[in-house]
Amino acid sequence: MTTQPTQSPRPALTFELPDGSTRRVEVVQVLNAGYAGRSQEDVAAHVAELAELGVPAPSVTPALYPISPYLAQQTGRVSVQHGRTSGEAEWALVVAEGGELLLTAACDHTDRELEVHGVAWSKNAGPDVLAARAWRLADVDARLDDLTLRAWVSHDGTETEVQSGTLAELLPPAYWVEVLRERGDLVPGTVLISGTIPMTEGVDQFADRWRVELGDPATGDVIECSYDVVPMPEPIG
């Protein structure tokens, strides 16, 4: 008698909504948007800047990078292999059961050393950390451009703001919903990470802690995710 292999459970995320209800989402796919600024002229300038640093230019913008599903995490600790990794303040679109769309804060932790060899590789070398709270997209859709996105880094306990902007700087969720629909990917368990806003010049992004806030000025509500960046032990051999 042949024994069938046991299917591994899918990674799962749980979100609390403002009304106190929760949504458990089994992750089937994660997609990271890149070069996703609302102004594609600014994106082109950014691509040129990165090219000077050795980061290969994408073949098309905006870009979309498939990420291993287990990398969508709700964690307070990210382990890293070296000192040149950093986060990025982003929003995340999560497709819950029944096609319900959720919006939350996220931080895409990226390997900057690996980035020069391939952005997709660098995205798969670290997790996308998501907050434990979310809003229904429909509840904030009318004021999306006013929502704020901010990030802070910590060095030895001293916190410094490294990113600050609004969702008006990025392609909106509606754009990506249509992309997902056209691809047949607007299915429960899909997580899409938005791409990020510019970093503040002169702030050291290679920090020992990252914190991201997605804020709604109309209500004063804030969704936060944060985590410590922890070096791994030196390898043996």
Side-chain angles (χ1 to χ4, degrees):
M1 179 178 177
T2 303
T3 303
Q4 294 295 324
T6 303
Q7 186 174 14
S8 300
R10 294 187 176 120
L13 304 169
T14 300
F15 301 97
E16 181 181 350
L17 302 188
D19 62 6
S21 63
T22 60
R23 301 291 186 272
R24 184 177 185 274
V25 178
E26 292 189 355
V27 181
V28 298
Q29 63 179 340
V30 180
L31 300 165
N32 276 29
Y35 309 100
R38 190 85 57 96
S39 167
Q40 286 295 292
E41 291 81 5
D42 291 345
V43 168
H46 181 54
V47 169
E49 291 172 355
L50 290 176
E52 293 180 359
L53 299 175
V55 178
S59 58
V60 64
T61 63
L64 199 59
Y65 304 102
I67 306 298
S68 298
Y70 72 87
L71 291 175
Q73 300 178 15
Q74 290 168 319
T75 181
R77 177 187 176 103
V78 170
S79 298
V80 298
Q81 297 184 69
H82 55 80
R84 292 188 61 81
T85 70
S86 65
E88 294 178 347
E90 314 209 2
W91 54 257
L93 179 72
V94 181
V95 186
E97 199 63 38
E100 183 180 33
L101 300 177
L102 307 179
L103 186 72
T104 191
C107 195
D108 170 19
H109 203 80
T110 301
D111 189 319
R112 302 301 178 186
E113 289 286 350
L114 195 55
E115 197 170 38
V116 299
H117 301 287
V119 174
W121 292 355
S122 70
K123 298 296 184 187
N124 275 281
D128 287 329
V129 180
L130 284 81
R133 295 182 60 241
W135 299 317
R136 295 179 184 87
L137 180 61
D139 291 343
V140 296
D141 189 60
R143 54 183 186 275
L144 272 172
D145 282 0
D146 295 330
L147 301 185
T148 59
L149 190 58
R150 303 174 69 190
W152 293 262
V153 291
S154 294
H155 295 85
D156 299 323
T158 300
E159 191 175 64
T160 305
E161 188 175 73
V162 68
Q163 291 177 281
S164 180
T166 68
L167 268 60
E169 298 178 53
L170 297 168
L171 291 170
Y175 172 89
W176 293 112
V177 166
E178 189 57 34
V179 169
L180 293 175
R181 184 177 288 114
E182 290 175 356
R183 290 166 52 102
D185 287 330
L186 193 65
V187 297
T190 294
V191 177
L192 184 140
I193 311 294
S194 66
T196 195
I197 57 177
M199 297 267 186
T200 302
E201 290 187 14
V203 177
D204 182 6
Q205 61 183 287
F206 303 117
D208 49 37
R209 184 172 176 81
W210 272 79
R211 181 167 67 91
V212 171
E213 284 187 355
L214 178 64
D216 183 354
T219 64
D221 195 12
V222 172
I223 293 176
E224 177 184 293
C225 68
S226 60
Y227 57 88
D228 295 322
V229 180
V230 182
M232 295 181 190
E234 289 294 324
I236 299 174

